[in-house]
Amino acid sequence: MTYEELLQAMLDRVPSNVDKREGSIIYDALAPCAYFLAQQNFQLENYLDLVFPDTAVGEYLDRAVAAYGVTRKPASAAVRKMITTGAVSIGSRWGLNSLVYTVTRELASGTEYEAQCETPGDIGNQYSGSVQPISNITGVTAELTDLITAGADEETDGALRERFLQKVQLPATSGNAYHYKLWALDVPGVGDARVFPLDNGPGTVTVLIVDNDKNIDTSLESAVSAYMETVRPIGANVTIDSPSSIAVNVVADVTLDGSKVKDDVLRAFKAALEIYLKGLVFTDYRVSYARIGSLLLATEGVQDYDNLKLNGAMANVIIADKAIPVIGTVDFSEVRMYGAN
């Protein structure tokens, strides 16, 4: 019941010969009580959402799924290659764009090192270039280059919920295909996986993985492989790999309605196309020609289109079993403004 309904129900129980108008003694006495009860009703209604895994959030979701042996994947730190002009000590610290990287291992004598970001998460993957010494180091310059192991942000509520539902709904037992998928998803940074049983003969399993953004990240392979060795059945030969990519190139003659310029339309369409293609990863191996056309018509600023082609043909694009679709080139040619001659 709402605050108004609660207050009215209370006032209805007061004798009619008592002044119940707003501002009266009885009205002013009951109004705070009705407000408090309305708050309690609201909290109780939302409390139920915090109890069940399909609606819980934050720490309540952590507690709801913990009983099933599922825990939120923590943020992991990026490990980068650092190239120097001279030898540096293990444990020395270097700064770049407010981030600090600590040298953890020597890769090549006196010139290449492994450096781990002190701030966990995806942010450690983002910057490259010259790093400045924080430790007392002189006469040596250094540059942060390749990504050795990608850092990953803490698992989101949505990803944790999806992983929980897969665990309780999929029949993952005794090292079957579902089990290998769940094991791969346990590793921080892995967003999805597909399993190929008997891929290279009896006793072999191939697991393809992508990152949290459904992108190819080969740096995850070693972490997943190491973890898989600790949980796989004895005798299984497991290969951890990344899928190949199939570029989806889009061309079309687009008629604009005059509300947006070509660059804005291209940017909006690419964003929608990327979302669509990521939704196909490991779930659908056909890029729909009709769906791309619908996305184009739904793009703000587009009135109509002609001669839409995907990879040079007016047809669906078929993706191989061990591949995922990615955005290729997008070209809107012969763009005409509505009403133009």
Side-chain angles (χ1 to χ4, degrees):
M1 298 176 68
T2 65
Y3 160 74
E4 292 79 8
E5 291 171 337
L6 286 167
L7 179 57
Q8 188 59 52
M10 292 178 177
L11 292 173
D12 289 344
R13 299 183 68 85
V14 177
S16 58
N17 59 349
V18 176
D19 185 4
K20 298 184 285 184
R21 293 174 297 177
E22 185 174 355
S24 65
I25 294 175
I26 191 66
Y27 186 99
D28 290 347
L30 292 177
C33 181
Y35 182 79
F36 176 79
L37 289 174
Q39 281 189 317
Q40 292 297 302
N41 287 343
F42 176 80
Q43 291 174 2
L44 286 173
E45 182 178 352
N46 284 273
Y47 172 76
L48 291 176
D49 288 339
L50 296 176
V51 171
F52 296 101
D54 62 331
T55 51
V57 295
E59 63 174 302
Y60 296 96
L61 178 59
D62 291 339
R63 296 168 65 179
V65 302
Y68 297 86
V70 179
T71 57
R72 190 185 299 271
K73 290 187 282 190
S76 59
V79 179
R80 306 289 297 273
K81 178 187 288 187
M82 191 174 78
I83 299 176
T84 66
T85 57
V88 299
S89 60
I90 303 300
S92 59
R93 303 170 73 229
W94 300 75
L96 174 63
N97 286 1
S98 76
L99 297 176
V100 177
Y101 292 82
T102 301
V103 175
T104 57
R105 188 164 66 93
E106 185 177 346
L107 298 176
S109 180
T111 58
E112 293 184 2
Y113 295 87
E114 190 176 272
Q116 179 172 307
C117 184
E118 293 185 2
T119 303
D122 177 70
I123 191 170
N125 308 329
Q126 298 177 9
Y127 305 111
S128 297
S130 178
V131 287
Q132 302 302 317
I134 296 176
S135 303
N136 186 19
I137 298 174
T138 58
V140 177
T141 60
E143 183 179 5
L144 205 64
T145 59
D146 299 340
L147 187 66
I148 297 175
T149 302
D153 293 331
E154 182 180 69
E155 189 173 22
T156 64
D157 284 351
L160 176 58
R161 195 186 333 274
E162 182 179 355
R163 191 159 58 89
F164 162 77
L165 292 175
Q166 288 185 359
K167 181 179 179 64
V168 299
Q169 293 175 354
L170 297 180
T173 57
S174 305
N176 63 1
Y178 295 123
H179 221 159
Y180 281 96
K181 180 175 182 176
L182 294 178
W183 285 330
L185 291 175
D186 283 341
V187 178
V190 176
D192 204 354
R194 187 182 182 193
V195 180
F196 294 84
L198 309 178
D199 191 43
N200 296 306
T204 65
V205 179
T206 297
V207 183
L208 301 184
I209 57 173
V210 291
D211 67 11
N212 289 327
D213 294 322
K214 302 298 180 71
N215 294 323
I216 297 171
D217 185 351
T218 56
S219 69
L220 289 170
E221 295 173 11
S222 58
V224 175
S225 181
Y227 177 72
M228 198 68 73
E229 287 300 305
T230 68
V231 293
R232 66 168 176 81
I234 296 174
N237 185 359
V238 184
T239 300
I240 307 299
D241 205 352
S242 297
S244 58
S245 61
I246 301 296
V248 178
N249 304 312
V250 181
V251 296
D253 298 337
V254 178
T255 302
L256 302 182
D257 62 14
S259 64
K260 297 288 182 180
V261 297
K262 176 184 176 181
D263 288 346
D264 291 339
V265 171
L266 272 171
R267 190 178 303 111
F269 175 74
K270 285 180 179 180
L273 178 60
E274 182 175 17
I275 293 173
Y276 168 62
L277 294 182
K278 287 184 183 297
L280 300 180
V281 173
F282 294 156
T283 61
D284 194 340
Y285 290 82
R286 179 192 61 180
V287 179
S288 170
Y289 178 86
R291 182 66 183 275
I292 300 297
S294 297
L295 289 177
L296 185 52
L297 283 177
T299 302
E300 188 175 359
V302 174
Q303 181 194 355
D304 204 351
Y305 69 86
D306 294 301
N307 302 320
L308 172 64
K309 293 183 180 181
L310 307 182
N311 290 1
M314 294 181 177
N316 299 332
V317 176
I318 305 303
I319 307 300
D321 285 347
K322 293 186 177 181
I324 62 173
V326 298
I327 292 181
T329 58
V330 179
D331 182 22
F332 294 160
S333 59
E334 299 183 18
V335 179
R336 295 162 291 164
M337 300 299 293
Y338 177 67
N341 295 326

